[in-house]
Amino acid sequence: MLSRVAENLYWMSRYLERAEDTARLLRVTRHLMLDYPGTPTLGWSSLVTITGAEAQFEESYPHQDEASVLAFLCLDRNYGGSILSSLGAARENMRTTREVMPREIWEEINQLYLTVSNYLASGIAQRRLDDFLRMVIRGCQTIVGLIEGSLSHGPARRFCDIGRSLERADMTTRILDVRSANLLPRTPEDLTPFENLQWMSVLKSLSAHQMYRQRTRSRVRGPEVARFVLQDQDFPRSIYRCLDDLCRIFQKLSRHGQALSGAATLRDALHSADGNQLASSPDELNGFIDRLQIGFGEIHQAIAATWFAGVDSPAPVLAQ
Amino acid sequence: MTSIDWSHYRSTSYDELMAKGGVPHRHAADLVQHLDALSDEDIAELKTTADVAIQVMGITFTVYSDAGMIDRAWPFDIIPRIIPANEWRRAEAGLAQRVRALNLFIDDLYHEQRIVKDGVFPAELLSESVNFRPQCVGISPPKGIWAHICGSDLVRDKDGTLYVLEDNLRIPSGVSYMLENRNVSKRVLPELFETGRILPVDDYPAQLYDMLASMSPRQGVEPRIVVMTPGIYNSAYFEHAFLAQQMGVELVEGSDLIVGTDDQVYMRTIDGLAQVDVIYRRVDDLFIDPEAFNPDSMLGVSGLMRAWRNGRVALCNAPGAGVADDKVVYAFVPKIIRYYLGEDALIPNVPSYLCMVEKEREYVLANLDKLVVKPANESGGYGMLVGPHATPAQRKEFAELIRANPRNYMAQPTLTLSTTPTLSEEGLGARHVDLRPFILSSGDSTYVTTGGLTRVALVKGSLVVNSSQGGGSKDTWIVETGED
């Protein structure tokens, strides 16, 4: 497979996952806000914080209210992380790699992007918001399903899987980071029912509520949620699982040394971290998440150097 | 309730479907009967089906405009254009003959130039040709084939005669749209395909692959073939990706390739460098190798010409093939066929006046209001003067251009291109069409597409069929009628 194509597939997959995760986050926040109207501080503004694009947001929007945040995160063409821009970027990356992917996948991405851009003219009416977000999530899931069901287990699929796992780990970390900053109790017994509901929203934005209940068999509590999201070995969106998936995929690619050791080191650090300790201290959790984020950046660098840019260096390793 | 009213259908020329008197040609009878049974709602529904299919399949082409790049949905008319199979068989033979002669001609020009020495082809035409590449002199590509893929434009005049209007030997495009039009057409008019009389077109990618594979310098080993594109901003990118996908080969850009010190071409892959044997290049000659041609080219690969010259890689089409793709050279093709094959051209040329010949130039200048004037080396319908539709000022400007550079211009009578029924805002109308078949040459055999890409001028009365200038397209049916 061409290095350039591998790179495009990787980004296609990352952008698709970003669009889906953003839609999930919006959907859950909206439900939460409907239960607790009049508490704007905890809701919409924190979404902008999760994306890390506060500065750009403030340039275009005077208020951090629902309408502005939704416009920014759903349909803002100037913000690269909006659902529309992410799908557009996924489509552009897919467009240049169309010849290696089953045609249905291109048709689905193309269709999803066109459908979402049709909302540009009218905006998204409040009563249609949930339909819109569900449509985005379903569209992304359909594409993931098509990849799962119709793309051979070759390099194209591996680079799709790598992009998805890394982006998923990254988005999960962001959600946990922002939510925990104002949610983790300073003292462990300090939980109010309201905070529990917010933790529930963290789980729901990851579609993790049921899996959490099955795993922990206890009510939703902040520290346990944090541990589950960080360290659970089986839940597909837990950070541990994403890193473990990455390790498995890397092993199937040639010249995987650097990328694999990066992912494995991070995974093992996560495994041996004291979950209770992290969950009981917002500052420690915050520091640990920063470390994870730096690690993700390093894994990306390793991937790029090995399979994307790395082959630009004149080291003629001859392929079969 | 039927909605198509043929009683108002009028063609100003030969019509591909309807004979005089409002009766369909025999080869179009089934289609016309089928259309007659449709209501307005049915037709609207079929159009929507086609539009949705085109949108979902992502069939697009790119146009440049003041506002930047625009990716437009492919303009498609649901009513096919039909040619009877017996007529098509004659056209096929004529096209194969033409391309055979053109390949001999190109090979001769880069070697002994016998045709010039024998006084059949003027030396000054060659010396002034902008598409003659001195870098190619003395090179012998495999089997003497330079133009592996040719797209020739066929038109029909008022009396129904088929002419070759031009040959595209550099990087002809449109074949993907021919294939996609058929896919859309099958979704829109499935009933008519059940008769089994419409010949299939989908063999092209396999034929293209086989031809390319036969050019590989490493015979006996499964060759690595790539399609080389200038990138996603090229107007034909859709086609490059489509063909690579259909053939199951890599679509590469210049930056994906590298020529080693061993003169082999390699592509950069996730497993390291991999040797490339055949490049179906969709990048213009002047940009394929900054070392040999345009040093500023960002699209090319340094050393590619070196690799090709040394026989390490096959380039299709070969650099320099465009020397025969010149609207002035075109006028000589009947002579070229006679010279190399000793045969008369099976498909006639449109009568042409060469501005380099004094007498013909005088005729052209005196009759600018009746003629179409074409520059030697433009494509896409650019730089042309359509005399009857031009303003006096435009004609004056062209007269000056011709006087300043007569070698660069030729003129032809304004043909009244044949028409075919086409859906428009005002219902069914007669619109002018042409046809671009594609011809593959491997040296051992020649393959001609079954029909080709029919392009249609969607504007009433217009003769410009180029998609970049408001043209559309139709599926082309070659229909078996049982006649020889």
Side-chain angles (χ1 to χ4, degrees):
Chain A
M1 158 162 291
L2 287 174
S3 298
R4 177 177 53 79
V5 172
E7 188 167 3
N8 283 324
L9 290 174
Y10 167 85
W11 283 112
M12 187 270 293
S13 204
R14 283 198 76 153
Y15 279 117
L16 208 58
E17 181 69 24
R18 196 172 297 177
E20 179 184 333
D21 293 352
T22 305
R24 287 169 173 281
L25 199 57
L26 286 169
R27 191 153 177 251
V28 170
T29 305
R30 169 137 170 102
H31 281 292
L32 187 69
M33 299 311 285
L34 289 177
D35 279 342
Y36 287 87
T39 48
T41 47
L42 289 171
W44 297 110
S45 61
S46 69
L47 290 188
V48 178
T49 314
I50 287 176
T51 63
E54 295 101 321
Q56 196 182 346
F57 178 86
E58 280 157 20
E59 272 174 31
S60 316
Y61 304 88
H63 306 293
Q64 296 206 337
D65 55 4
E66 176 176 354
S68 303
V69 173
L70 284 174
F72 182 66
L73 292 179
C74 290
L75 296 175
D76 194 325
R77 270 195 193 287
N78 297 320
Y79 168 51
S82 72
I83 289 174
L84 178 65
S85 300
S86 295
L87 291 175
R91 176 174 179 258
E92 283 312 301
N93 277 287
M94 177 75 197
R95 187 206 289 278
T96 63
T97 52
R98 219 146 84 163
E99 73 287 351
V100 300
M101 296 289 268
R103 182 174 184 147
E104 293 76 10
I105 298 178
W106 158 253
E107 290 182 1
E108 200 63 39
I109 290 186
N110 189 40
Q111 186 65 55
L112 181 59
Y113 170 75
L114 293 174
T115 310
V116 169
S117 43
N118 280 341
Y119 281 85
L120 259 184
S122 57
I124 306 165
Q126 247 208 350
R127 65 190 166 79
R128 307 278 299 278
L129 177 65
D130 201 57
D131 287 342
F132 172 82
L133 296 170
R134 268 198 323 188
M135 181 270 293
V136 170
I137 294 167
R138 283 182 75 140
C140 292
Q141 288 281 299
T142 304
I143 295 158
V144 173
L146 282 168
I147 290 172
E148 156 64 30
S150 64
L151 186 62
S152 291
H153 289 266
R157 178 154 174 166
R158 293 196 180 117
F159 282 94
C160 288
D161 291 347
I162 290 171
R164 184 168 55 249
S165 297
L166 196 55
E167 184 67 24
R168 198 175 265 180
D170 187 61
M171 286 296 273
T172 302
T173 333
R174 284 167 191 274
I175 291 168
L176 190 61
D177 193 23
V178 172
R179 286 296 192 223
S180 63
N182 55 13
L183 281 184
L184 274 180
R186 296 289 153 179
T187 57
E189 303 313 315
D190 201 17
L191 275 169
T192 67
F194 175 69
E195 284 164 339
N196 276 339
L197 260 174
Q198 287 225 50
W199 276 111
M200 193 111 68
S201 83
V202 169
L203 288 173
K204 283 186 173 166
S205 64
L206 298 167
S207 290
H209 184 226
Q210 282 166 287
M211 294 300 121
Y212 169 86
R213 294 302 289 255
Q214 285 176 21
R215 166 69 78 198
T216 62
R217 301 194 182 280
S218 72
R219 57 193 290 266
V220 173
R221 296 168 46 86
E224 263 135 75
V225 173
R227 250 193 350 249
F228 182 79
V229 168
L230 283 169
Q231 293 180 310
D232 192 79
Q233 302 203 359
D234 300 320
F235 182 66
R237 289 176 185 275
S238 83
I239 296 162
Y240 179 91
R241 181 69 206 200
C242 291
L243 286 167
D244 197 42
D245 285 343
L246 276 175
C247 290
R248 283 181 235 215
I249 308 163
F250 287 151
Q251 276 169 345
K252 292 179 188 154
L253 288 165
S254 62
R255 310 189 294 160
H256 56 242
Q258 200 192 349
L260 178 60
S261 87
T265 308
L266 210 56
R267 177 195 61 189
D268 297 344
L270 190 56
H271 187 63
S272 54
D274 182 343
N276 285 325
Q277 174 81 19
L278 288 175
S280 58
S281 156
D283 296 334
E284 268 194 56
L285 181 60
N286 196 265
F288 189 70
I289 284 175
D290 283 349
R291 195 177 144 200
L292 287 174
Q293 291 254 320
I294 291 166
F296 298 153
E298 285 166 357
I299 293 172
H300 167 76
Q301 294 300 333
I303 293 168
T306 307
W307 293 296
F308 306 160
V311 286
D312 278 345
S313 62
V317 187
L318 288 193
Q320 290 287 301
Chain B
M1 207 223 82
T2 64
S3 74
I4 291 185
D5 181 6
W6 294 100
S7 66
H8 294 104
Y9 184 78
R10 294 280 180 278
S11 170
T12 51
S13 180
Y14 175 86
D15 194 85
E16 301 284 339
L17 299 191
M18 301 302 282
K20 297 285 174 217
V23 181
H25 291 298
R26 184 170 160 187
H27 59 258
D30 286 355
L31 173 68
V32 170
Q33 194 186 8
H34 182 81
L35 294 176
D36 281 347
L38 300 175
S39 65
D40 279 340
E41 292 74 36
D42 292 336
I43 290 175
E45 196 184 320
L46 294 183
K47 277 174 82 165
T48 308
T49 306
D51 290 347
V52 168
I54 286 166
Q55 205 189 40
V56 171
M57 290 154 85
I59 310 173
T60 60
F61 72 105
T62 313
V63 286
Y64 303 89
S65 76
D66 297 339
M69 310 281 310
I70 307 170
D71 221 7
R72 283 206 199 143
W74 180 243
F76 173 81
D77 183 69
I78 61 169
I79 302 181
R81 180 260 189 96
I82 306 183
I83 299 170
N86 57 335
E87 183 186 19
W88 184 248
R89 282 188 281 270
R90 289 194 293 277
E92 256 177 7
L95 290 164
Q97 175 199 49
R98 202 173 168 94
V99 175
R100 224 166 36 241
L102 287 170
N103 271 303
L104 290 166
F105 172 65
I106 303 166
D107 200 52
D108 187 20
L109 290 187
Y110 288 115
H111 292 94
E112 297 114 87
Q113 303 189 347
R114 287 185 294 120
I115 195 168
V116 180
K117 288 171 189 150
D118 290 340
V120 177
F121 189 78
E124 74 252 41
L125 259 187
L126 190 58
S127 61
E128 286 172 28
S129 166
V130 296
N131 287 317
F132 181 80
R133 306 262 172 265
Q135 296 90 337
C136 298
V137 170
I139 296 179
S140 299
K143 298 172 189 172
I145 300 296
W146 294 73
H148 307 83
I149 300 126
C150 170
S152 292
D153 292 349
L154 298 178
V155 295
R156 226 195 260 281
D157 198 10
K158 233 178 175 140
D159 62 0
T161 310
L162 212 52
Y163 294 96
V164 177
L165 184 65
E166 62 183 59
D167 305 290
N168 297 279
L169 303 172
R170 282 173 281 181
I171 39 178
S173 65
V175 75
S176 59
Y177 299 113
M178 173 191 90
L179 296 166
E180 292 287 51
N181 283 353
R182 177 57 54 90
N183 286 333
V184 177
S185 191
K186 281 180 181 165
R187 292 194 199 186
V188 175
L189 299 167
E191 302 88 347
L192 291 163
F193 285 89
E194 283 165 12
T195 64
R197 286 202 290 272
I198 304 164
L199 301 182
V201 297
D202 50 12
D203 199 28
Y204 182 82
Q207 294 282 349
L208 178 62
Y209 182 93
D210 289 347
M211 183 279 289
L212 293 170
S214 75
M215 293 297 147
S216 171
R218 278 196 299 172
Q219 287 298 322
V221 186
E222 194 182 331
R224 186 175 275 109
I225 299 169
V226 299
V227 176
M228 180 178 171
T229 173
I232 65 166
Y233 297 112
N234 184 271
S235 60
Y237 180 79
F238 169 82
E239 173 155 310
H240 308 160
F242 178 90
L243 290 173
Q245 188 172 35
Q246 294 289 312
M247 291 193 289
V249 305
E250 297 285 359
L251 178 67
V252 306
E253 294 176 16
S255 60
D256 295 322
L257 299 179
I258 185 168
V259 178
T261 46
D262 54 1
D263 287 349
Q264 298 283 5
V265 180
Y266 299 95
M267 62 179 183
R268 306 172 206 272
T269 79
I270 54 167
D271 300 313
L273 298 177
Q275 189 176 334
V276 172
D277 302 297
V278 182
I279 302 176
Y280 176 19
R281 52 104 184 182
R282 297 292 298 255
V283 176
D284 191 78
D285 277 2
L286 293 177
F287 295 94
I288 56 170
D289 181 358
E291 192 180 290
F293 299 110
N294 186 346
D296 300 327
S297 172
M298 304 290 287
L299 308 173
V301 186
S302 271
L304 197 56
M305 281 294 283
R306 189 159 30 90
W308 177 63
R309 202 181 302 123
N310 293 335
R312 299 305 178 89
V313 72
L315 295 177
C316 302
N317 287 350
V323 67
D325 169 353
D326 171 316
K327 292 179 180 66
V328 175
V329 171
Y330 161 86
F332 287 86
V333 173
K335 287 180 187 166
I336 289 171
I337 293 175
R338 207 167 301 127
Y339 180 77
Y340 292 105
L341 304 178
E343 298 168 5
D344 285 332
L346 297 172
I347 313 177
N349 258 20
V350 178
S352 304
Y353 305 97
L354 295 178
C355 296
M356 60 182 286
V357 179
E358 199 188 336
K359 265 195 165 159
E360 298 186 17
R361 177 168 67 246
E362 278 168 17
Y363 176 83
V364 171
L365 290 171
N367 291 281
L368 278 178
D369 57 333
K370 300 189 189 71
L371 300 171
V372 177
V373 184
K374 296 176 177 179
N377 296 302
E378 288 281 350
S379 62
Y382 291 102
M384 254 169 63
L385 176 85
V386 181
H389 297 179
T391 63
Q394 287 169 328
R395 289 200 285 265
K396 188 158 172 274
E397 183 195 341
F398 253 77
E400 280 156 24
L401 287 170
I402 291 169
R403 284 195 194 95
N405 187 3
R407 156 67 180 89
N408 195 41
Y409 293 93
M410 62 90 92
Q412 294 167 339
T414 315
L415 298 184
T416 310
L417 300 188
S418 61
T419 61
T420 195
T422 303
L423 290 175
S424 71
E425 297 294 320
E426 317 92 68
L428 205 64
R431 296 289 182 271
H432 298 293
V433 289
D434 78 350
L435 178 68
R436 176 175 288 182
F438 296 85
I439 305 104
L440 300 176
S441 305
S442 68
D444 304 320
S445 61
T446 309
Y447 170 82
V448 181
T449 48
T450 310
L453 175 65
T454 290
R455 300 185 297 177
V456 53
L458 294 173
V459 179
K460 190 175 181 180
S462 167
L463 296 170
V464 182
V465 296
N466 305 82
S467 55
S468 50
Q469 298 191 46
S473 79
K474 285 167 168 285
D475 190 18
T476 310
W477 292 0
I478 305 298
V479 170
E480 205 57 80
T481 56
E483 293 164 283
D484 287 331

